[in-house]
Amino acid sequence: MENWVPNPRAKPFVPTGYSYRSGRGQARAANFWAAGSLRALTGRRCIGKFIKAGILVILLVTAAFNLMYIFETGKKLSNKEEVENDMLPDLNKHDSDSVAGPRSVLIDVVSSRESVFMAVDGTTVLEDEGFEKNRGIHITILNQATGSVMAKRVFDTYSQQEDDAMVLFLNMVSDGRILVFAVKDEGSFQLKKPARDFLTSLGSEEIASIWYRDMWAFVTVKGGKKIGEKHSKAPNLNSWGERVELKAEVPLIDSDDVGCQWPDNDEGKRRKAFCSKVEGYGSVCHCSGPAPISFKSPVLPNNKVSNIPIAVIASDRPHYLYRMLQTLLSVPGANPKMVTVFIDGYFEEPFAVTKLFGLRGIQHTPLGLKNARISQHYKASLTATFNLYPGYEHSSKDPALLYRVETMPGLGWLLKRSLYKLELEPQWPTPEKQWDWDMWMRSSGIRKERECIIPDISRTYHFGSKGLNMNPYFQEVYFKKHSLQAEGDIKLKDVDRMKKDGYESLILELLAKAQPVNHTRSPCEKTFIPSSLPEDIVLTIYIEMTSPTDFAVWKSLAKCLHIWDLDVRGFHRSMWRLFLSGHPVMVIGVPASPYSSSKPANVQPLKNLSQHIEEAANR
């Protein structure tokens, strides 16, 4: 085929049995019928195209008609709305907020042995499950104009003093707020009459008859009327009341009727932002005479501390943080620009408190668990601080007096940047180590024979009764009566003698004029220190202490004297300084302390005091 060449002269191919001549007529007939078929097919195609064109025209006309109808209907509705707006101007004015939300909210509350639940318009705002966790009365505060959550608290009214704390909190809530209550597990054991009377004043009709393990849910408006309440009695002391479910619809009010006209300045904007979202801070949000949030602290003569960074270690205890910052910023010489609040977690309320005072707040993701988490929080806060800024009532008396001690104070302290960056930060316990950071700081390997200078009267106070290492009992026994120096502008004594050599000479001077107490008397007796002694006399108490780590007698003595006895702190070379019955006292361990040479030969050191403690307890 590649070599084939067409021959123009070749005869046409005629199949076998076909007559060329005779086939001409047949060919004509075939051509005739073929032409007829083609005309028929062409006609059908034209009809199909015509039909399609007609359908298209109908669709276009229909679409145009629909568009005209929609346009006319929209125009009529618009005219109708204009007429209604003209007829009902006052109604539309009051309903102007209806676009943003409903004029009422539906609140669901559940109270039971193992869980509490609260929802607003179907959105869960509180869900706490698990037996023996967050026991007591749960309270949620809602904004009366928006229904948004402004505060959430739980008060373990099975324990002492929690009912007082609850009343204090509710007293600081503004009138008009929506209050939602629910009991989880048990909430009546320590709910005393003043607290019950206060809840009755809020509209509760059931609180007077709520007793052990009863369930209770209550919705009310502070300063207004009760919205709803349900109560389920426990059948006996070994059982709990039936699960209580309460639904309550609460009408909202116009947002223009909520809040105050704060000044249009930085302080006013901070206050407005805070008071529109957070509740429970008393006069901070009062329209007239609100509590100050900006402070002009008194000028401190020869101020050498105004540029020292202050790191506030915080978590999710916003009321304590508020009180602490208010006090801190009122101190003479305080510099708000040098204060940074470090928050262990992304908690909104403590961050809002920080911004209320115009301070820098830094939140970070928690690391580790329990004690390790606290330790990592301190490390992160100290590291960030140095990166940001390079460079007991009966046992204390004198606000100007200073001591040297071998143990680090835990609540408030000052240290040099070089000490932290070069020594502490590289060795800080890692997240997997469940160590108490402060005990680690007090260890001999970290302390390296260095000492801290502390005041006789503390400038810090422990408020929290709940925490990882705290409960209401410890707060009551060890912290509630802890002395606190609230006034500022104290001129400290013997500051220049707090260095090592100067302090040693100071101690020797005190010992030279000191007088030992009567060691035959029981230190647990109130008359252990006679009231007839001259006020300025220095007293000494000698206790048995065979080595610098032998604290057995000291712990017994501390228990007798009702001072800190959980562990041993505040000593200097096996010697403690404190005030008893208004007199300066030096407690000296014999023979561990180098000061034991001051003991008179006729004085026998105090030894085992367990018998004295038992006798005192039985009286």
Side-chain angles (χ1 to χ4, degrees):
M1 292 298 292
E2 293 178 358
N3 299 323
W4 179 80
V5 179
N7 182 6
R9 295 181 181 179
K11 292 182 180 180
F13 170 75
V14 179
T16 303
Y18 185 85
S19 173
Y20 181 73
R21 290 183 181 271
S22 62
R24 292 176 66 184
Q26 294 176 359
R28 288 193 188 99
N31 290 338
F32 172 78
W33 287 110
S37 299
L38 179 62
R39 284 194 294 272
L41 288 172
T42 303
R44 283 197 293 271
R45 288 176 181 172
C46 289
I47 293 171
K49 290 181 178 179
F50 179 77
I51 292 172
K52 290 179 179 178
I55 293 173
L56 180 62
V57 170
I58 292 171
L59 289 173
L60 291 172
V61 171
T62 302
F65 176 78
N66 287 337
L67 289 172
M68 292 177 64
Y69 176 78
I70 292 171
F71 175 78
E72 289 296 328
T73 302
K75 186 175 180 181
K76 290 178 180 178
L77 289 173
S78 177
N79 292 336
K80 183 180 179 181
E81 287 180 358
E82 290 179 2
V83 171
E84 290 178 349
N85 288 341
D86 291 338
M87 294 176 64
L88 302 170
D90 292 335
L91 178 62
N92 283 333
K93 178 180 179 182
H94 289 291
D95 287 344
S96 60
D97 292 334
S98 62
V99 177
R103 300 311 303 156
S104 65
V105 290
L106 182 62
I107 299 174
D108 294 286
V109 192
V110 174
S111 166
S112 70
R113 174 193 177 188
E114 296 186 356
S115 67
V116 289
F117 174 84
M118 297 179 189
V120 179
D121 280 341
T123 300
T124 300
V125 298
L126 172 65
E127 189 171 18
D128 195 315
E129 297 182 339
F131 188 53
E132 294 184 348
K133 175 186 175 185
N134 292 330
R135 170 186 61 195
I137 298 178
H138 291 248
I139 304 175
T140 298
I141 311 298
L142 305 179
N143 187 295
Q144 66 268 43
T146 64
S148 60
V149 175
M150 303 189 74
K152 290 191 288 188
R153 296 287 186 276
V154 55
F155 298 94
D156 183 12
T157 45
Y158 180 86
S159 303
Q160 292 182 356
Q161 299 182 348
E162 286 285 291
D163 58 338
D164 294 334
M166 180 182 69
V167 171
L168 177 63
F169 168 72
L170 292 172
N171 267 319
M172 292 192 293
V173 174
S174 304
D175 285 346
R177 302 299 190 198
I178 302 169
L179 312 181
V180 186
F181 298 79
V183 166
K184 179 183 177 185
D185 185 6
E186 214 296 304
S188 69
F189 187 64
Q190 293 291 343
L191 191 64
K192 298 185 288 294
K193 188 176 184 301
R196 292 176 185 267
D197 291 344
F198 184 85
L199 293 171
T200 300
S201 72
L202 292 177
S204 173
E205 299 174 2
E206 302 286 344
I207 195 65
S209 57
I210 291 176
W211 299 107
Y212 191 62
R213 291 181 175 176
D214 288 2
M215 297 298 113
W216 176 61
F218 176 45
V219 179
T220 190
V221 174
K222 187 177 181 186
K225 62 179 183 179
K226 180 180 79 171
I227 305 298
E229 187 175 21
K230 279 192 176 181
H231 172 212
S232 170
K233 294 288 292 182
N236 53 62
L237 293 178
N238 297 319
S239 303
W240 283 260
E242 292 291 331
R243 172 189 176 99
V244 163
E245 296 183 10
L246 171 65
K247 290 184 180 292
E249 185 172 2
V250 185
L252 300 178
I253 66 174
D254 197 298
S255 58
D256 293 338
D257 298 332
V258 180
C260 308
Q261 297 299 319
W262 308 115
D264 190 20
N265 52 28
D266 176 65
E267 179 178 329
K269 291 176 181 177
R270 284 190 277 122
R271 196 186 296 272
K272 181 178 180 180
F274 181 82
C275 295
S276 64
K277 296 179 180 179
V278 183
E279 186 52 89
Y281 290 82
S283 61
V284 171
C285 298
H286 283 182
C287 294
S288 58
I293 57 174
S294 296
F295 301 87
K296 293 182 179 179
S297 59
V299 176
L300 188 65
N302 301 318
N303 191 350
K304 296 181 181 180
V305 297
S306 63
N307 292 323
I308 294 179
I310 298 175
V312 178
I313 314 296
S315 184
D316 192 20
R317 293 180 175 178
H319 277 81
Y320 297 149
L321 177 63
Y322 168 81
R323 184 161 44 188
M324 181 267 174
L325 293 177
Q326 190 180 45
T327 303
L328 174 64
L329 297 174
S330 303
V331 172
N335 184 356
K337 295 180 180 179
M338 300 302 292
V339 178
T340 306
V341 179
F342 294 93
I343 302 170
D344 186 36
Y346 297 94
F347 301 111
E348 293 183 6
E349 192 168 336
F351 193 60
V353 170
T354 303
K355 292 191 292 184
L356 172 69
F357 289 106
L359 302 176
R360 184 207 309 257
I362 296 178
Q363 298 168 288
H364 64 85
T365 303
L367 293 174
L369 299 171
K370 298 184 178 180
N371 292 331
R373 174 174 173 174
I374 297 173
S375 174
Q376 294 306 306
H377 181 31
Y378 271 86
K379 180 183 180 182
S381 303
L382 292 172
T383 299
T385 298
F386 288 117
N387 288 339
L388 287 169
Y389 306 96
Y392 290 84
E393 295 177 358
H394 66 290
S395 62
S396 57
K397 178 183 178 182
D398 191 344
L401 185 61
L402 297 174
Y403 303 139
R404 277 178 69 102
V405 296
E406 296 177 20
T407 54
M408 185 209 69
L411 295 181
W413 34 273
L414 175 73
L415 79 166
K416 294 175 65 175
R417 169 187 166 85
S418 58
L419 173 61
Y420 177 75
K421 299 299 288 185
L422 298 179
E423 294 189 40
L424 302 180
E425 186 181 31
Q427 302 181 68
W428 202 274
T430 50
E432 71 275 6
K433 294 177 179 176
Q434 293 292 323
W435 294 356
D436 289 320
W437 71 272
D438 51 345
M439 295 302 182
W440 173 80
M441 287 273 282
R442 294 182 181 114
S443 63
S444 58
I446 298 300
R447 189 176 65 82
K448 295 181 178 178
E449 297 186 356
R450 290 174 290 219
E451 292 187 305
C452 296
I453 299 173
I454 65 169
D456 178 54
I457 300 181
S458 178
R459 270 64 170 174
T460 62
Y461 187 85
H462 189 282
F463 287 102
S465 61
K466 291 183 180 179
L468 180 61
N469 301 308
M470 180 55 56
N471 59 48
Y473 171 78
F474 281 158
Q475 175 68 18
E476 176 73 18
V477 173
Y478 292 103
F479 293 103
K480 186 177 181 181
K481 296 181 180 180
H482 183 76
S483 59
L484 173 67
Q485 179 59 37
E487 299 178 4
D489 198 22
I490 301 296
K491 185 174 178 60
L492 300 174
K493 298 188 299 189
D494 296 323
V495 176
D496 56 337
R497 304 188 72 179
M498 287 301 109
K499 291 185 178 180
K500 186 176 181 181
D501 293 339
Y503 194 70
E504 292 307 310
S505 65
L506 175 64
I507 295 300
L508 293 176
E509 290 175 12
L510 292 173
L511 287 172
K513 62 180 181 180
Q515 173 182 319
V517 300
N518 185 346
H519 283 61
T520 62
R521 290 180 177 173
S522 168
C524 295
E525 296 284 349
K526 292 182 179 180
T527 58
F528 180 61
I529 307 295
S531 57
S532 58
L533 292 174
E535 186 174 338
D536 59 345
I537 191 171
V538 179
L539 301 175
T540 52
I541 301 174
Y542 297 94
I543 64 173
E544 184 181 64
M545 191 171 179
T546 57
S547 70
T549 57
D550 176 17
F551 299 118
V553 179
W554 164 256
K555 289 183 178 180
S556 298
L557 178 64
K559 195 175 290 292
C560 265
L561 301 178
H562 303 291
I563 59 178
W564 184 270
D565 62 358
L566 295 180
D567 54 30
V568 182
R569 305 181 184 185
F571 54 86
H572 165 77
R573 306 185 74 184
S574 302
M575 181 268 294
W576 291 260
R577 294 178 64 186
L578 66 157
F579 278 83
L580 293 176
S581 301
H583 300 286
V585 175
M586 305 171 76
V587 180
I588 301 170
V590 179
S593 175
Y595 309 124
S596 61
S597 58
S598 65
K599 181 184 75 67
N602 63 333
V603 172
Q604 293 298 316
L606 298 176
K607 296 184 179 181
N608 188 358
L609 301 176
S610 57
Q611 182 180 351
H612 298 282
I613 296 172
E614 269 186 51
E615 292 173 353
N618 293 329
R619 280 195 296 270

